[in-house]
Amino acid sequence: MLGIHGFGLFLVAGILLNLMPGQDTMFVIGQSLTGGFRSGIAAALGIALGTVFHTVAAALGLSAILATSPLAFSIVKFLGAAYLVLLGLKLMLARSARDGAAPLAVPATPRAVFRQGVLTNVLNPKVALFFLAFLPQFIDPAGGTRILAFLALGATFIMTGLLWCLVLATAAARLQSFFRRNPNFRSVVDRVVGSLFVALGARLAWLR
């Protein structure tokens, strides 16, 4: 159907890829730990929307531009890296609680987290190249419904990824009450998560 072959293999491979820790995983966990369940859900939905962008881009052939144009790839790569580093530094430089007098930084609103999730995903050229390289393996190149096949496979991958991110958000958000009772520990977590974002940004910047 739709010129898709090996759908079962695609489904299994997609689930395994979604389970692998990565930039999106750390973003959802970090936002859930600092902002709670609503922030975690917003992060997961933002990442899902960003993946929709990559799916459509792959279907229309736009991702091929990143694969063939070093300049376009570098621009998107460095924008994404800078954005991740900025998010990390904001967490790392947030004021910690001292003797209960200095308040912790107020977590971003779910709407802001949603926007951040979209941007971190859209500005990651690795995701675009992944869709361009992975999805065509399961599509008949001679079929007349290649765009629909891209969209169907992309939607499947997005749904499995979203479900996994929602599980992560729910699990991580359960720890927020502990952080409220222990603000100093919350400060440590903010810095650890911020450091991870900075490291992910640096890793993306070094991507070839």
Side-chain angles (χ1 to χ4, degrees), residues 88-136:
L89 290 177
K90 286 176 66 176
L91 283 172
M92 292 172 64
L93 298 177
R95 291 195 303 168
S96 61
R98 294 175 184 154
D99 301 324
L104 288 166
V106 177
T109 64
R111 180 176 296 182
V113 172
F114 175 80
R115 290 196 299 267
Q116 292 171 4
V118 174
L119 286 174
T120 57
N121 195 275
V122 168
L123 294 178
N124 187 350
K126 291 176 62 179
V127 179
L129 296 184
F130 164 77
F131 271 78
L132 190 62
F134 184 58
L135 269 61

Coordinates of all heavy atoms in Angstrom, one line a residue, residues 88-136:
G88 N 21.1 25.9 27.5 CA 21.9 25.3 28.6 C 22.5 26.4 29.5 O 22.5 26.2 30.8
L89 N 23.0 27.5 29.0 CA 23.6 28.5 29.8 C 22.5 29.2 30.7 O 22.8 29.6 31.8 CB 24.2 29.6 28.9 CG 25.5 29.1 28.2 CD1 26.0 30.2 27.3 CD2 26.6 28.7 29.2
K90 N 21.3 29.3 30.2 CA 20.2 29.9 31.0 C 19.9 29.1 32.2 O 19.7 29.6 33.3 CB 18.9 30.0 30.1 CG 19.0 31.1 29.1 CD 17.7 31.1 28.2 CE 16.5 31.5 29.1 NZ 15.3 31.6 28.2
L91 N 20.0 27.8 32.1 CA 19.8 26.9 33.2 C 21.0 26.9 34.2 O 20.9 27.0 35.4 CB 19.6 25.4 32.8 CG 18.2 25.1 32.2 CD1 18.2 23.7 31.7 CD2 17.1 25.2 33.3
M92 N 22.2 26.9 33.6 CA 23.4 26.9 34.4 C 23.6 28.2 35.2 O 24.2 28.2 36.3 CB 24.6 26.7 33.5 CG 24.7 25.3 32.9 SD 26.0 25.1 31.6 CE 27.4 25.3 32.7
L93 N 23.2 29.3 34.6 CA 23.4 30.6 35.3 C 22.3 31.0 36.2 O 22.3 32.1 36.8 CB 23.7 31.7 34.2 CG 24.9 31.4 33.3 CD1 25.0 32.5 32.3 CD2 26.2 31.4 34.2
A94 N 21.2 30.2 36.3 CA 20.1 30.5 37.1 C 20.6 30.6 38.6 O 21.4 29.8 39.0 CB 19.0 29.5 37.0
R95 N 20.0 31.5 39.3 CA 20.5 31.7 40.7 C 20.0 30.5 41.6 O 18.9 30.0 41.5 CB 19.9 33.0 41.3 CG 20.5 34.2 40.8 CD 20.2 35.4 41.6 NE 18.7 35.6 41.8 CZ 18.2 36.4 42.7 NH1 18.9 37.1 43.5 NH2 16.9 36.5 42.7
S96 N 20.9 30.0 42.4 CA 20.5 28.9 43.3 C 20.0 29.4 44.6 O 20.1 30.6 44.9 CB 21.7 28.0 43.6 OG 22.7 28.8 44.2
A97 N 19.3 28.6 45.4 CA 18.7 29.0 46.6 C 19.8 29.0 47.7 O 20.5 28.0 47.9 CB 17.6 28.0 47.0
R98 N 19.9 30.1 48.4 CA 20.9 30.1 49.5 C 20.1 30.4 50.8 O 19.5 31.5 51.0 CB 21.9 31.3 49.3 CG 22.8 31.0 48.1 CD 23.6 32.2 47.8 NE 24.4 32.0 46.6 CZ 24.9 33.0 45.9 NH1 24.6 34.2 46.2 NH2 25.7 32.7 44.8
D99 N 20.1 29.4 51.7 CA 19.4 29.5 53.0 C 17.9 29.8 52.7 O 17.3 30.5 53.6 CB 20.0 30.6 53.9 CG 21.5 30.4 54.1 OD1 21.8 29.2 54.3 OD2 22.3 31.3 54.2
G100 N 17.4 29.4 51.6 CA 16.0 29.6 51.3 C 15.6 31.1 51.0 O 14.5 31.4 50.8
A101 N 16.7 32.0 50.8 CA 16.3 33.4 50.6 C 16.3 33.7 49.1 O 15.6 34.5 48.6 CB 17.4 34.3 51.3
A102 N 17.2 33.1 48.3 CA 17.3 33.4 46.9 C 16.5 32.5 46.1 O 16.7 31.3 46.1 CB 18.8 33.4 46.4
P103 N 15.5 32.9 45.4 CA 14.6 32.0 44.7 C 15.3 31.4 43.5 O 16.1 32.1 42.8 CB 13.4 32.9 44.3 CG 14.0 34.3 44.2 CD 15.1 34.4 45.2
L104 N 14.9 30.3 43.1 CA 15.3 29.6 41.9 C 14.6 30.3 40.7 O 13.6 31.0 40.8 CB 14.9 28.2 41.8 CG 15.8 27.3 42.8 CD1 15.1 25.9 42.9 CD2 17.2 27.1 42.3
A105 N 15.3 30.2 39.5 CA 14.7 30.8 38.3 C 13.3 30.1 38.1 O 13.1 28.9 38.3 CB 15.6 30.5 37.1
V106 N 12.4 31.0 37.7 CA 11.0 30.4 37.4 C 11.1 29.6 36.1 O 11.6 30.1 35.1 CB 10.0 31.6 37.2 CG1 8.6 31.1 36.9 CG2 10.0 32.4 38.5
P107 N 10.6 28.4 36.1 CA 10.6 27.6 34.9 C 9.9 28.2 33.8 O 8.9 29.0 34.0 CB 9.9 26.3 35.3 CG 10.0 26.2 36.8 CD 10.0 27.7 37.3
A108 N 10.3 28.0 32.5 CA 9.6 28.5 31.4 C 8.2 28.0 31.3 O 7.8 26.9 31.8 CB 10.4 28.1 30.1
T109 N 7.3 28.8 30.7 CA 5.9 28.4 30.6 C 5.8 27.3 29.6 O 6.7 27.1 28.7 CB 5.0 29.6 30.1 OG1 5.5 29.9 28.8 CG2 5.1 30.8 31.0
P110 N 4.7 26.4 29.7 CA 4.6 25.3 28.7 C 4.6 25.8 27.3 O 5.1 25.2 26.4 CB 3.2 24.7 29.1 CG 3.1 25.0 30.6 CD 3.7 26.3 30.8
R111 N 4.0 27.0 27.0 CA 4.0 27.6 25.7 C 5.4 27.8 25.2 O 5.8 27.5 24.1 CB 3.2 28.8 25.6 CG 3.1 29.5 24.2 CD 2.2 30.7 24.2 NE 0.9 30.3 24.5 CZ -0.2 31.2 24.5 NH1 0.1 32.5 24.2 NH2 -1.4 30.8 24.7
A112 N 6.3 28.4 26.1 CA 7.7 28.7 25.7 C 8.4 27.4 25.5 O 9.3 27.3 24.6 CB 8.3 29.5 26.8
V113 N 8.2 26.4 26.4 CA 8.8 25.1 26.2 C 8.5 24.5 24.9 O 9.3 23.9 24.2 CB 8.5 24.2 27.4 CG1 9.0 22.8 27.2 CG2 9.0 24.7 28.7
F114 N 7.2 24.6 24.5 CA 6.7 24.0 23.2 C 7.5 24.7 22.1 O 8.0 24.0 21.2 CB 5.2 24.3 23.1 CG 4.7 23.9 21.8 CD1 4.3 22.6 21.5 CD2 4.4 24.8 20.8 CE1 3.8 22.2 20.3 CE2 3.9 24.4 19.5 CZ 3.6 23.1 19.3
R115 N 7.6 26.0 22.1 CA 8.4 26.7 21.1 C 9.9 26.2 21.1 O 10.4 26.0 20.0 CB 8.3 28.2 21.2 CG 7.0 28.8 21.0 CD 7.1 30.3 20.8 NE 7.6 30.9 22.0 CZ 6.9 31.4 23.0 NH1 5.6 31.4 22.9 NH2 7.4 32.0 24.0
Q116 N 10.4 26.0 22.2 CA 11.8 25.6 22.3 C 11.9 24.2 21.7 O 12.9 23.9 21.0 CB 12.3 25.6 23.8 CG 12.4 27.0 24.4 CD 12.7 26.9 25.9 OE1 12.8 25.9 26.5 NE2 12.7 28.1 26.5
G117 N 11.0 23.3 22.0 CA 11.0 21.9 21.5 C 11.0 21.9 20.0 O 11.7 21.2 19.3
V118 N 10.1 22.8 19.4 CA 10.0 22.9 17.9 C 11.4 23.3 17.4 O 11.9 22.7 16.4 CB 8.9 23.9 17.5 CG1 8.9 24.1 16.0 CG2 7.5 23.3 17.9
L119 N 11.9 24.4 17.9 CA 13.2 24.9 17.4 C 14.3 24.0 17.5 O 15.2 23.9 16.6 CB 13.5 26.3 18.1 CG 12.6 27.5 17.7 CD1 12.9 28.7 18.5 CD2 12.8 27.8 16.2
T120 N 14.5 23.3 18.7 CA 15.6 22.4 18.9 C 15.6 21.3 17.9 O 16.6 20.8 17.4 CB 15.7 21.8 20.3 OG1 14.4 21.2 20.6 CG2 15.9 22.9 21.3
N121 N 14.4 20.9 17.5 CA 14.3 19.8 16.5 C 14.4 20.3 15.1 O 15.2 19.7 14.3 CB 12.9 19.1 16.7 CG 12.8 17.8 16.0 OD1 12.6 17.7 14.8 ND2 13.1 16.7 16.7
V122 N 13.8 21.4 14.7 CA 13.9 21.9 13.4 C 15.3 22.3 13.0 O 15.8 22.1 11.9 CB 12.9 23.1 13.2 CG1 13.2 23.8 11.9 CG2 11.5 22.6 13.2
L123 N 16.0 22.9 14.0 CA 17.4 23.3 13.8 C 18.4 22.3 14.0 O 19.6 22.6 14.2 CB 17.7 24.5 14.7 CG 16.9 25.8 14.4 CD1 17.2 26.9 15.4 CD2 17.1 26.3 13.0
N124 N 18.0 21.0 13.9 CA 19.0 19.9 14.0 C 19.1 19.2 12.6 O 18.2 18.5 12.3 CB 18.5 18.9 15.1 CG 19.6 17.8 15.3 OD1 20.6 17.7 14.6 ND2 19.4 17.0 16.3
P125 N 20.1 19.5 11.9 CA 20.2 19.0 10.5 C 20.4 17.5 10.5 O 20.1 16.8 9.5 CB 21.5 19.7 9.9 CG 22.3 20.0 11.1 CD 21.3 20.4 12.2
K126 N 20.8 16.9 11.7 CA 20.9 15.4 11.7 C 19.6 14.8 11.6 O 19.5 13.7 11.0 CB 21.6 15.0 13.1 CG 23.0 15.4 13.3 CD 23.5 15.1 14.6 CE 23.4 13.6 14.9 NZ 24.0 13.2 16.3
V127 N 18.5 15.4 12.1 CA 17.2 14.8 11.9 C 16.8 14.9 10.5 O 16.2 13.9 10.0 CB 16.2 15.6 12.8 CG1 14.8 15.0 12.6 CG2 16.6 15.6 14.3
A128 N 17.1 16.0 9.8 CA 16.7 16.1 8.4 C 17.4 15.0 7.5 O 16.8 14.4 6.7 CB 17.0 17.5 7.8
L129 N 18.7 14.8 7.8 CA 19.5 13.8 7.0 C 19.0 12.4 7.4 O 19.0 11.5 6.5 CB 21.0 14.0 7.3 CG 21.6 15.3 6.8 CD1 23.1 15.3 7.1 CD2 21.3 15.6 5.4
F130 N 18.6 12.2 8.6 CA 18.1 10.9 9.0 C 16.9 10.6 8.3 O 16.7 9.5 7.7 CB 17.8 10.9 10.5 CG 16.9 9.8 11.0 CD1 17.5 8.5 11.1 CD2 15.6 9.9 11.2 CE1 16.7 7.4 11.5 CE2 14.8 8.9 11.6 CZ 15.3 7.6 11.7
F131 N 15.9 11.5 8.2 CA 14.7 11.2 7.4 C 15.0 11.0 5.9 O 14.4 10.1 5.3 CB 13.7 12.4 7.6 CG 12.8 12.2 8.8 CD1 13.3 12.5 10.1 CD2 11.5 11.8 8.7 CE1 12.5 12.3 11.2 CE2 10.7 11.6 9.8 CZ 11.2 11.9 11.0
L132 N 15.9 11.8 5.4 CA 16.3 11.6 4.0 C 16.9 10.3 3.7 O 16.7 9.7 2.6 CB 17.2 12.8 3.6 CG 17.4 12.9 2.1 CD1 16.1 13.2 1.4 CD2 18.5 14.0 1.8
A133 N 17.7 9.8 4.7 CA 18.4 8.5 4.5 C 17.6 7.3 4.9 O 17.7 6.2 4.3 CB 19.7 8.5 5.2
F134 N 16.8 7.4 5.9 CA 16.1 6.3 6.5 C 14.8 5.9 5.8 O 14.5 4.8 5.4 CB 15.8 6.5 8.0 CG 15.2 5.4 8.7 CD1 15.8 4.2 8.8 CD2 14.0 5.5 9.4 CE1 15.3 3.1 9.5 CE2 13.4 4.5 10.1 CZ 14.1 3.2 10.1
L135 N 13.9 6.9 5.6 CA 12.6 6.6 5.0 C 12.6 6.1 3.6 O 11.8 5.1 3.3 CB 11.7 7.9 5.1 CG 10.9 8.1 6.3 CD1 11.7 8.2 7.6 CD2 10.0 9.3 6.2
P136 N 13.5 6.6 2.7 CA 13.4 6.0 1.3 C 13.7 4.5 1.2 O 13.3 3.9 0.2 CB 14.5 6.8 0.6 CG 14.6 8.1 1.4 CD 14.4 7.7 2.8

